PDB file of all heavy atoms in Angstrom:
ATOM      1  N   ALA I   4      -4.515 -10.143  -1.927  1.00  0.00           N
ATOM      2  CA  ALA I   4      -4.143 -11.548  -2.238  1.00  0.00           C
ATOM      3  C   ALA I   4      -4.623 -12.473  -1.129  1.00  0.00           C
ATOM      4  O   ALA I   4      -4.840 -12.133   0.013  1.00  0.00           O
ATOM      5  CB  ALA I   4      -2.618 -11.623  -2.369  1.00  0.00           C
ATOM      6  N   LYS I   5      -4.805 -13.750  -1.517  1.00  0.00           N
ATOM      7  CA  LYS I   5      -5.249 -14.765  -0.583  1.00  0.00           C
ATOM      8  C   LYS I   5      -4.164 -15.187   0.358  1.00  0.00           C
ATOM      9  O   LYS I   5      -4.388 -15.395   1.558  1.00  0.00           O
ATOM     10  CB  LYS I   5      -5.764 -15.990  -1.345  1.00  0.00           C
ATOM     11  CG  LYS I   5      -7.131 -15.799  -2.024  1.00  0.00           C
ATOM     12  CD  LYS I   5      -7.646 -17.064  -2.662  1.00  0.00           C
ATOM     13  CE  LYS I   5      -9.020 -16.829  -3.265  1.00  0.00           C
ATOM     14  NZ  LYS I   5      -9.550 -18.079  -3.902  1.00  0.00           N
ATOM     15  N   GLY I   6      -2.920 -15.282  -0.135  1.00  0.00           N
ATOM     16  CA  GLY I   6      -1.805 -15.718   0.726  1.00  0.00           C
ATOM     17  C   GLY I   6      -1.317 -14.638   1.624  1.00  0.00           C
ATOM     18  O   GLY I   6      -1.161 -13.466   1.189  1.00  0.00           O
ATOM     19  N   PHE I   7      -1.149 -14.952   2.943  1.00  0.00           N
ATOM     20  CA  PHE I   7      -0.782 -13.859   3.874  1.00  0.00           C
ATOM     21  C   PHE I   7       0.569 -13.279   3.585  1.00  0.00           C
ATOM     22  O   PHE I   7       0.833 -12.075   3.782  1.00  0.00           O
ATOM     23  CB  PHE I   7      -0.861 -14.379   5.329  1.00  0.00           C
ATOM     24  CG  PHE I   7       0.355 -15.190   5.803  1.00  0.00           C
ATOM     25  CD1 PHE I   7       1.395 -14.561   6.435  1.00  0.00           C
ATOM     26  CD2 PHE I   7       0.352 -16.570   5.636  1.00  0.00           C
ATOM     27  CE1 PHE I   7       2.498 -15.279   6.856  1.00  0.00           C
ATOM     28  CE2 PHE I   7       1.489 -17.288   6.044  1.00  0.00           C
ATOM     29  CZ  PHE I   7       2.550 -16.649   6.673  1.00  0.00           C
ATOM     30  N   GLU I   8       1.488 -14.090   3.037  1.00  0.00           N
ATOM     31  CA  GLU I   8       2.855 -13.579   2.741  1.00  0.00           C
ATOM     32  C   GLU I   8       2.783 -12.584   1.590  1.00  0.00           C
ATOM     33  O   GLU I   8       3.520 -11.593   1.543  1.00  0.00           O
ATOM     34  CB  GLU I   8       3.781 -14.731   2.400  1.00  0.00           C
ATOM     35  CG  GLU I   8       4.169 -15.573   3.616  1.00  0.00           C
ATOM     36  CD  GLU I   8       4.970 -16.780   3.273  1.00  0.00           C
ATOM     37  OE1 GLU I   8       4.882 -17.231   2.130  1.00  0.00           O
ATOM     38  OE2 GLU I   8       5.705 -17.239   4.175  1.00  0.00           O
ATOM     39  N   THR I   9       1.878 -12.840   0.653  1.00  0.00           N
ATOM     40  CA  THR I   9       1.699 -11.891  -0.470  1.00  0.00           C
ATOM     41  C   THR I   9       1.063 -10.602   0.001  1.00  0.00           C
ATOM     42  O   THR I   9       1.429  -9.505  -0.458  1.00  0.00           O
ATOM     43  CB  THR I   9       0.782 -12.539  -1.576  1.00  0.00           C
ATOM     44  OG1 THR I   9       1.268 -13.832  -1.880  1.00  0.00           O
ATOM     45  CG2 THR I   9       0.841 -11.721  -2.844  1.00  0.00           C
ATOM     46  N   ARG I  10       0.126 -10.694   0.960  1.00  0.00           N
ATOM     47  CA  ARG I  10      -0.431  -9.493   1.528  1.00  0.00           C
ATOM     48  C   ARG I  10       0.621  -8.666   2.283  1.00  0.00           C
ATOM     49  O   ARG I  10       0.583  -7.415   2.225  1.00  0.00           O
ATOM     50  CB  ARG I  10      -1.609  -9.849   2.494  1.00  0.00           C
ATOM     51  CG  ARG I  10      -2.772 -10.522   1.780  1.00  0.00           C
ATOM     52  CD  ARG I  10      -4.052 -10.438   2.622  1.00  0.00           C
ATOM     53  NE  ARG I  10      -3.996 -11.068   3.924  1.00  0.00           N
ATOM     54  CZ  ARG I  10      -4.199 -12.369   4.150  1.00  0.00           C
ATOM     55  NH1 ARG I  10      -4.429 -13.210   3.108  1.00  0.00           N
ATOM     56  NH2 ARG I  10      -4.145 -12.845   5.368  1.00  0.00           N
ATOM     57  N   MET I  11       1.545  -9.365   2.895  1.00  0.00           N
ATOM     58  CA  MET I  11       2.659  -8.667   3.570  1.00  0.00           C
ATOM     59  C   MET I  11       3.558  -7.948   2.558  1.00  0.00           C
ATOM     60  O   MET I  11       4.068  -6.889   2.813  1.00  0.00           O
ATOM     61  CB  MET I  11       3.484  -9.674   4.417  1.00  0.00           C
ATOM     62  CG  MET I  11       2.728 -10.136   5.662  1.00  0.00           C
ATOM     63  SD  MET I  11       3.615 -11.402   6.606  1.00  0.00           S
ATOM     64  CE  MET I  11       4.834 -10.437   7.451  1.00  0.00           C
ATOM     65  N   GLU I  12       3.706  -8.566   1.390  1.00  0.00           N
ATOM     66  CA  GLU I  12       4.458  -7.897   0.315  1.00  0.00           C
ATOM     67  C   GLU I  12       3.743  -6.573  -0.102  1.00  0.00           C
ATOM     68  O   GLU I  12       4.396  -5.568  -0.354  1.00  0.00           O
ATOM     69  CB  GLU I  12       4.531  -8.803  -0.960  1.00  0.00           C
ATOM     70  CG  GLU I  12       5.546  -9.925  -0.882  1.00  0.00           C
ATOM     71  CD  GLU I  12       5.519 -10.756  -2.132  1.00  0.00           C
ATOM     72  OE1 GLU I  12       5.383 -10.193  -3.245  1.00  0.00           O
ATOM     73  OE2 GLU I  12       5.600 -11.999  -2.074  1.00  0.00           O
ATOM     74  N   GLY I  13       2.424  -6.617  -0.086  1.00  0.00           N
ATOM     75  CA  GLY I  13       1.669  -5.437  -0.419  1.00  0.00           C
ATOM     76  C   GLY I  13       1.878  -4.326   0.598  1.00  0.00           C
ATOM     77  O   GLY I  13       2.012  -3.143   0.256  1.00  0.00           O
ATOM     78  N   VAL I  14       1.882  -4.725   1.870  1.00  0.00           N
ATOM     79  CA  VAL I  14       2.134  -3.747   2.950  1.00  0.00           C
ATOM     80  C   VAL I  14       3.540  -3.113   2.800  1.00  0.00           C
ATOM     81  O   VAL I  14       3.714  -1.905   2.948  1.00  0.00           O
ATOM     82  CB  VAL I  14       1.993  -4.404   4.376  1.00  0.00           C
ATOM     83  CG1 VAL I  14       2.362  -3.451   5.452  1.00  0.00           C
ATOM     84  CG2 VAL I  14       0.517  -4.877   4.556  1.00  0.00           C
ATOM     85  N   ALA I  15       4.507  -3.980   2.470  1.00  0.00           N
ATOM     86  CA  ALA I  15       5.897  -3.488   2.277  1.00  0.00           C
ATOM     87  C   ALA I  15       5.978  -2.559   1.063  1.00  0.00           C
ATOM     88  O   ALA I  15       6.680  -1.567   1.109  1.00  0.00           O
ATOM     89  CB  ALA I  15       6.835  -4.685   2.099  1.00  0.00           C
ATOM     90  N   LEU I  16       5.222  -2.899   0.011  1.00  0.00           N
ATOM     91  CA  LEU I  16       5.231  -2.074  -1.168  1.00  0.00           C
ATOM     92  C   LEU I  16       4.657  -0.671  -0.891  1.00  0.00           C
ATOM     93  O   LEU I  16       5.121   0.331  -1.363  1.00  0.00           O
ATOM     94  CB  LEU I  16       4.396  -2.708  -2.286  1.00  0.00           C
ATOM     95  CG  LEU I  16       4.247  -1.941  -3.586  1.00  0.00           C
ATOM     96  CD1 LEU I  16       5.588  -1.572  -4.233  1.00  0.00           C
ATOM     97  CD2 LEU I  16       3.402  -2.710  -4.624  1.00  0.00           C
ATOM     98  N   LEU I  17       3.593  -0.646  -0.074  1.00  0.00           N
ATOM     99  CA  LEU I  17       3.008   0.680   0.321  1.00  0.00           C
ATOM    100  C   LEU I  17       4.022   1.553   1.007  1.00  0.00           C
ATOM    101  O   LEU I  17       4.150   2.761   0.691  1.00  0.00           O
ATOM    102  CB  LEU I  17       1.773   0.482   1.203  1.00  0.00           C
ATOM    103  CG  LEU I  17       1.117   1.720   1.724  1.00  0.00           C
ATOM    104  CD1 LEU I  17       0.724   2.660   0.588  1.00  0.00           C
ATOM    105  CD2 LEU I  17      -0.082   1.430   2.580  1.00  0.00           C
ATOM    106  N   LEU I  18       4.756   0.977   1.923  1.00  0.00           N
ATOM    107  CA  LEU I  18       5.801   1.773   2.639  1.00  0.00           C
ATOM    108  C   LEU I  18       6.859   2.262   1.643  1.00  0.00           C
ATOM    109  O   LEU I  18       7.294   3.409   1.676  1.00  0.00           O
ATOM    110  CB  LEU I  18       6.431   0.898   3.738  1.00  0.00           C
ATOM    111  CG  LEU I  18       7.560   1.615   4.523  1.00  0.00           C
ATOM    112  CD1 LEU I  18       7.025   2.871   5.205  1.00  0.00           C
ATOM    113  CD2 LEU I  18       8.147   0.711   5.566  1.00  0.00           C
ATOM    114  N   ASP I  19       7.227   1.370   0.684  1.00  0.00           N
ATOM    115  CA  ASP I  19       8.227   1.726  -0.308  1.00  0.00           C
ATOM    116  C   ASP I  19       7.719   2.912  -1.180  1.00  0.00           C
ATOM    117  O   ASP I  19       8.472   3.828  -1.478  1.00  0.00           O
ATOM    118  CB  ASP I  19       8.508   0.491  -1.191  1.00  0.00           C
ATOM    119  CG  ASP I  19       9.754   0.730  -2.090  1.00  0.00           C
ATOM    120  OD1 ASP I  19      10.772   1.126  -1.576  1.00  0.00           O
ATOM    121  OD2 ASP I  19       9.627   0.469  -3.314  1.00  0.00           O
ATOM    122  N   LEU I  20       6.434   2.814  -1.575  1.00  0.00           N
ATOM    123  CA  LEU I  20       5.859   3.906  -2.381  1.00  0.00           C
ATOM    124  C   LEU I  20       5.804   5.187  -1.603  1.00  0.00           C
ATOM    125  O   LEU I  20       6.019   6.300  -2.177  1.00  0.00           O
ATOM    126  CB  LEU I  20       4.462   3.504  -2.851  1.00  0.00           C
ATOM    127  CG  LEU I  20       4.318   2.468  -3.961  1.00  0.00           C
ATOM    128  CD1 LEU I  20       2.864   2.096  -4.169  1.00  0.00           C
ATOM    129  CD2 LEU I  20       4.908   3.005  -5.297  1.00  0.00           C
ATOM    130  N   CYS I  21       5.551   5.107  -0.355  1.00  0.00           N
ATOM    131  CA  CYS I  21       5.487   6.315   0.524  1.00  0.00           C
ATOM    132  C   CYS I  21       6.840   7.020   0.556  1.00  0.00           C
ATOM    133  O   CYS I  21       6.919   8.231   0.543  1.00  0.00           O
ATOM    134  CB  CYS I  21       5.055   5.949   1.932  1.00  0.00           C
ATOM    135  SG  CYS I  21       3.278   5.853   2.131  1.00  0.00           S
ATOM    136  N   LYS I  22       7.835   6.181   0.635  1.00  0.00           N
ATOM    137  CA  LYS I  22       9.246   6.759   0.718  1.00  0.00           C
ATOM    138  C   LYS I  22       9.693   7.312  -0.618  1.00  0.00           C
ATOM    139  O   LYS I  22      10.330   8.388  -0.655  1.00  0.00           O
ATOM    140  CB  LYS I  22      10.193   5.652   1.185  1.00  0.00           C
ATOM    141  CG  LYS I  22      10.007   5.255   2.646  1.00  0.00           C
ATOM    142  CD  LYS I  22      10.957   4.135   3.024  1.00  0.00           C
ATOM    143  CE  LYS I  22      10.871   3.805   4.528  1.00  0.00           C
ATOM    144  NZ  LYS I  22      11.720   2.667   4.909  1.00  0.00           N
ATOM    145  N   LYS I  23       9.334   6.606  -1.724  1.00  0.00           N
ATOM    146  CA  LYS I  23       9.846   7.019  -3.078  1.00  0.00           C
ATOM    147  C   LYS I  23       8.889   8.001  -3.770  1.00  0.00           C
ATOM    148  O   LYS I  23       9.331   8.859  -4.498  1.00  0.00           O
ATOM    149  CB  LYS I  23      10.062   5.802  -3.924  1.00  0.00           C
ATOM    150  CG  LYS I  23      11.202   4.881  -3.422  1.00  0.00           C
ATOM    151  CD  LYS I  23      11.307   3.661  -4.327  1.00  0.00           C
ATOM    152  CE  LYS I  23      12.465   2.763  -3.842  1.00  0.00           C
ATOM    153  NZ  LYS I  23      12.522   1.461  -4.602  1.00  0.00           N
ATOM    154  N   SER I  24       7.583   7.832  -3.571  1.00  0.00           N
ATOM    155  CA  SER I  24       6.624   8.663  -4.251  1.00  0.00           C
ATOM    156  C   SER I  24       5.527   9.149  -3.283  1.00  0.00           C
ATOM    157  O   SER I  24       4.338   8.791  -3.454  1.00  0.00           O
ATOM    158  CB  SER I  24       5.955   7.878  -5.409  1.00  0.00           C
ATOM    159  OG  SER I  24       6.932   7.302  -6.215  1.00  0.00           O
ATOM    160  N   PRO I  25       5.897   9.928  -2.247  1.00  0.00           N
ATOM    161  CA  PRO I  25       4.889  10.362  -1.278  1.00  0.00           C
ATOM    162  C   PRO I  25       3.730  11.119  -1.888  1.00  0.00           C
ATOM    163  O   PRO I  25       2.574  10.994  -1.440  1.00  0.00           O
ATOM    164  CB  PRO I  25       5.690  11.221  -0.310  1.00  0.00           C
ATOM    165  CG  PRO I  25       6.914  11.584  -1.029  1.00  0.00           C
ATOM    166  CD  PRO I  25       7.212  10.487  -1.951  1.00  0.00           C
ATOM    167  N   LYS I  26       4.009  11.868  -2.944  1.00  0.00           N
ATOM    168  CA  LYS I  26       2.931  12.679  -3.571  1.00  0.00           C
ATOM    169  C   LYS I  26       1.890  11.721  -4.230  1.00  0.00           C
ATOM    170  O   LYS I  26       0.686  11.990  -4.173  1.00  0.00           O
ATOM    171  CB  LYS I  26       3.521  13.613  -4.601  1.00  0.00           C
ATOM    172  CG  LYS I  26       2.545  14.687  -5.084  1.00  0.00           C
ATOM    173  CD  LYS I  26       3.198  15.675  -5.991  1.00  0.00           C
ATOM    174  CE  LYS I  26       3.976  16.716  -5.220  1.00  0.00           C
ATOM    175  NZ  LYS I  26       4.471  17.849  -6.042  1.00  0.00           N
ATOM    176  N   LEU I  27       2.361  10.678  -4.816  1.00  0.00           N
ATOM    177  CA  LEU I  27       1.456   9.678  -5.463  1.00  0.00           C
ATOM    178  C   LEU I  27       0.526   9.059  -4.418  1.00  0.00           C
ATOM    179  O   LEU I  27      -0.666   8.939  -4.630  1.00  0.00           O
ATOM    180  CB  LEU I  27       2.276   8.556  -6.153  1.00  0.00           C
ATOM    181  CG  LEU I  27       1.480   7.346  -6.690  1.00  0.00           C
ATOM    182  CD1 LEU I  27       0.581   7.777  -7.837  1.00  0.00           C
ATOM    183  CD2 LEU I  27       2.436   6.223  -7.133  1.00  0.00           C
ATOM    184  N   VAL I  28       1.120   8.657  -3.296  1.00  0.00           N
ATOM    185  CA  VAL I  28       0.314   8.061  -2.214  1.00  0.00           C
ATOM    186  C   VAL I  28      -0.657   9.055  -1.634  1.00  0.00           C
ATOM    187  O   VAL I  28      -1.845   8.772  -1.403  1.00  0.00           O
ATOM    188  CB  VAL I  28       1.211   7.478  -1.119  1.00  0.00           C
ATOM    189  CG1 VAL I  28       0.364   6.915   0.041  1.00  0.00           C
ATOM    190  CG2 VAL I  28       2.123   6.371  -1.691  1.00  0.00           C
ATOM    191  N   ALA I  29      -0.167  10.274  -1.398  1.00  0.00           N
ATOM    192  CA  ALA I  29      -1.029  11.310  -0.814  1.00  0.00           C
ATOM    193  C   ALA I  29      -2.198  11.653  -1.728  1.00  0.00           C
ATOM    194  O   ALA I  29      -3.332  11.797  -1.241  1.00  0.00           O
ATOM    195  CB  ALA I  29      -0.196  12.577  -0.589  1.00  0.00           C
ATOM    196  N   THR I  30      -2.003  11.669  -2.997  1.00  0.00           N
ATOM    197  CA  THR I  30      -3.053  11.991  -3.968  1.00  0.00           C
ATOM    198  C   THR I  30      -4.098  10.915  -4.042  1.00  0.00           C
ATOM    199  O   THR I  30      -5.276  11.169  -4.251  1.00  0.00           O
ATOM    200  CB  THR I  30      -2.453  12.182  -5.407  1.00  0.00           C
ATOM    201  OG1 THR I  30      -1.451  13.173  -5.346  1.00  0.00           O
ATOM    202  CG2 THR I  30      -3.507  12.596  -6.379  1.00  0.00           C
ATOM    203  N   ASN I  31      -3.709   9.672  -3.783  1.00  0.00           N
ATOM    204  CA  ASN I  31      -4.612   8.496  -3.873  1.00  0.00           C
ATOM    205  C   ASN I  31      -4.901   7.850  -2.507  1.00  0.00           C
ATOM    206  O   ASN I  31      -5.329   6.699  -2.443  1.00  0.00           O
ATOM    207  CB  ASN I  31      -3.959   7.462  -4.813  1.00  0.00           C
ATOM    208  CG  ASN I  31      -3.842   7.963  -6.229  1.00  0.00           C
ATOM    209  OD1 ASN I  31      -4.809   7.972  -7.016  1.00  0.00           O
ATOM    210  ND2 ASN I  31      -2.624   8.417  -6.572  1.00  0.00           N
ATOM    211  N   ILE I  32      -4.698   8.623  -1.420  1.00  0.00           N
ATOM    212  CA  ILE I  32      -4.749   8.028  -0.091  1.00  0.00           C
ATOM    213  C   ILE I  32      -6.104   7.412   0.240  1.00  0.00           C
ATOM    214  O   ILE I  32      -6.137   6.351   0.900  1.00  0.00           O
ATOM    215  CB  ILE I  32      -4.363   9.101   0.993  1.00  0.00           C
ATOM    216  CG1 ILE I  32      -4.145   8.439   2.336  1.00  0.00           C
ATOM    217  CG2 ILE I  32      -5.410  10.212   1.066  1.00  0.00           C
ATOM    218  CD1 ILE I  32      -2.957   7.487   2.397  1.00  0.00           C
ATOM    219  N   VAL I  33      -7.180   8.004  -0.208  1.00  0.00           N
ATOM    220  CA  VAL I  33      -8.523   7.444   0.139  1.00  0.00           C
ATOM    221  C   VAL I  33      -8.690   6.068  -0.491  1.00  0.00           C
ATOM    222  O   VAL I  33      -9.132   5.121   0.174  1.00  0.00           O
ATOM    223  CB  VAL I  33      -9.641   8.423  -0.318  1.00  0.00           C
ATOM    224  CG1 VAL I  33     -11.030   7.774  -0.090  1.00  0.00           C
ATOM    225  CG2 VAL I  33      -9.563   9.724   0.441  1.00  0.00           C
ATOM    226  N   GLN I  34      -8.362   5.945  -1.796  1.00  0.00           N
ATOM    227  CA  GLN I  34      -8.534   4.671  -2.471  1.00  0.00           C
ATOM    228  C   GLN I  34      -7.535   3.630  -1.888  1.00  0.00           C
ATOM    229  O   GLN I  34      -7.882   2.485  -1.699  1.00  0.00           O
ATOM    230  CB  GLN I  34      -8.318   4.834  -3.964  1.00  0.00           C
ATOM    231  CG  GLN I  34      -8.665   3.566  -4.755  1.00  0.00           C
ATOM    232  CD  GLN I  34      -8.620   3.782  -6.246  1.00  0.00           C
ATOM    233  OE1 GLN I  34      -8.417   4.867  -6.705  1.00  0.00           O
ATOM    234  NE2 GLN I  34      -8.840   2.745  -6.995  1.00  0.00           N
ATOM    235  N   ILE I  35      -6.299   4.074  -1.634  1.00  0.00           N
ATOM    236  CA  ILE I  35      -5.296   3.169  -1.081  1.00  0.00           C
ATOM    237  C   ILE I  35      -5.775   2.629   0.275  1.00  0.00           C
ATOM    238  O   ILE I  35      -5.652   1.446   0.572  1.00  0.00           O
ATOM    239  CB  ILE I  35      -3.939   3.880  -0.908  1.00  0.00           C
ATOM    240  CG1 ILE I  35      -3.304   4.100  -2.294  1.00  0.00           C
ATOM    241  CG2 ILE I  35      -3.009   3.095  -0.039  1.00  0.00           C
ATOM    242  CD1 ILE I  35      -2.083   5.031  -2.300  1.00  0.00           C
ATOM    243  N   PHE I  36      -6.373   3.500   1.085  1.00  0.00           N
ATOM    244  CA  PHE I  36      -6.807   3.081   2.419  1.00  0.00           C
ATOM    245  C   PHE I  36      -7.954   2.093   2.348  1.00  0.00           C
ATOM    246  O   PHE I  36      -8.139   1.284   3.243  1.00  0.00           O
ATOM    247  CB  PHE I  36      -7.167   4.289   3.248  1.00  0.00           C
ATOM    248  CG  PHE I  36      -6.493   4.311   4.610  1.00  0.00           C
ATOM    249  CD1 PHE I  36      -5.154   4.608   4.696  1.00  0.00           C
ATOM    250  CD2 PHE I  36      -7.178   3.941   5.734  1.00  0.00           C
ATOM    251  CE1 PHE I  36      -4.489   4.615   5.944  1.00  0.00           C
ATOM    252  CE2 PHE I  36      -6.570   3.934   6.980  1.00  0.00           C
ATOM    253  CZ  PHE I  36      -5.195   4.277   7.072  1.00  0.00           C
ATOM    254  N   ASP I  37      -8.746   2.170   1.264  1.00  0.00           N
ATOM    255  CA  ASP I  37      -9.833   1.196   1.092  1.00  0.00           C
ATOM    256  C   ASP I  37      -9.270  -0.254   1.165  1.00  0.00           C
ATOM    257  O   ASP I  37      -9.923  -1.160   1.694  1.00  0.00           O
ATOM    258  CB  ASP I  37     -10.547   1.401  -0.253  1.00  0.00           C
ATOM    259  CG  ASP I  37     -11.483   2.615  -0.222  1.00  0.00           C
ATOM    260  OD1 ASP I  37     -11.817   3.072   0.893  1.00  0.00           O
ATOM    261  OD2 ASP I  37     -11.819   3.083  -1.307  1.00  0.00           O
ATOM    262  N   TYR I  38      -8.091  -0.414   0.598  1.00  0.00           N
ATOM    263  CA  TYR I  38      -7.431  -1.743   0.578  1.00  0.00           C
ATOM    264  C   TYR I  38      -6.590  -1.960   1.845  1.00  0.00           C
ATOM    265  O   TYR I  38      -6.626  -3.012   2.454  1.00  0.00           O
ATOM    266  CB  TYR I  38      -6.529  -1.850  -0.621  1.00  0.00           C
ATOM    267  CG  TYR I  38      -7.292  -1.855  -1.957  1.00  0.00           C
ATOM    268  CD1 TYR I  38      -7.575  -0.653  -2.584  1.00  0.00           C
ATOM    269  CD2 TYR I  38      -7.666  -3.034  -2.553  1.00  0.00           C
ATOM    270  CE1 TYR I  38      -8.293  -0.635  -3.805  1.00  0.00           C
ATOM    271  CE2 TYR I  38      -8.373  -3.059  -3.738  1.00  0.00           C
ATOM    272  CZ  TYR I  38      -8.653  -1.865  -4.381  1.00  0.00           C
ATOM    273  OH  TYR I  38      -9.367  -1.841  -5.597  1.00  0.00           O
ATOM    274  N   PHE I  39      -5.848  -0.903   2.246  1.00  0.00           N
ATOM    275  CA  PHE I  39      -4.880  -1.039   3.327  1.00  0.00           C
ATOM    276  C   PHE I  39      -5.596  -1.279   4.668  1.00  0.00           C
ATOM    277  O   PHE I  39      -5.066  -2.034   5.527  1.00  0.00           O
ATOM    278  CB  PHE I  39      -4.008   0.173   3.378  1.00  0.00           C
ATOM    279  CG  PHE I  39      -2.987   0.122   4.501  1.00  0.00           C
ATOM    280  CD1 PHE I  39      -1.994  -0.880   4.524  1.00  0.00           C
ATOM    281  CD2 PHE I  39      -2.986   1.077   5.504  1.00  0.00           C
ATOM    282  CE1 PHE I  39      -1.075  -0.905   5.541  1.00  0.00           C
ATOM    283  CE2 PHE I  39      -2.028   1.015   6.547  1.00  0.00           C
ATOM    284  CZ  PHE I  39      -1.072   0.029   6.582  1.00  0.00           C
ATOM    285  N   VAL I  40      -6.739  -0.619   4.929  1.00  0.00           N
ATOM    286  CA  VAL I  40      -7.409  -0.727   6.215  1.00  0.00           C
ATOM    287  C   VAL I  40      -7.792  -2.205   6.507  1.00  0.00           C
ATOM    288  O   VAL I  40      -7.883  -2.636   7.645  1.00  0.00           O
ATOM    289  CB  VAL I  40      -8.620   0.190   6.277  1.00  0.00           C
ATOM    290  CG1 VAL I  40      -9.817  -0.346   5.501  1.00  0.00           C
ATOM    291  CG2 VAL I  40      -9.015   0.442   7.762  1.00  0.00           C
TER     292      VAL I  40
END
């Protein structure tokens, strides 16, 4: 997202997904990191 606050929401969502669905994040870690890095 263009807005920095929205990007922060994305960072928070990633942590939430890690806690609730670690297997989902682990399976897609390479693609997720393309955005997160």
Side-chain angles (χ1 to χ4, degrees):
K5 286 186 178 179
F7 81 91
E8 289 175 335
T9 311
R10 296 199 299 277
M11 289 174 77
E12 283 179 40
V14 174
L16 176 59
L17 176 56
L18 180 58
D19 191 50
L20 285 173
C21 277
K22 290 177 177 177
K23 293 177 180 175
S24 309
K26 193 173 282 188
L27 172 66
V28 177
T30 305
N31 297 278
I32 191 66
V33 174
Q34 188 172 357
I35 288 171
F36 232 75
D37 285 342
Y38 294 87
F39 181 62
V40 77

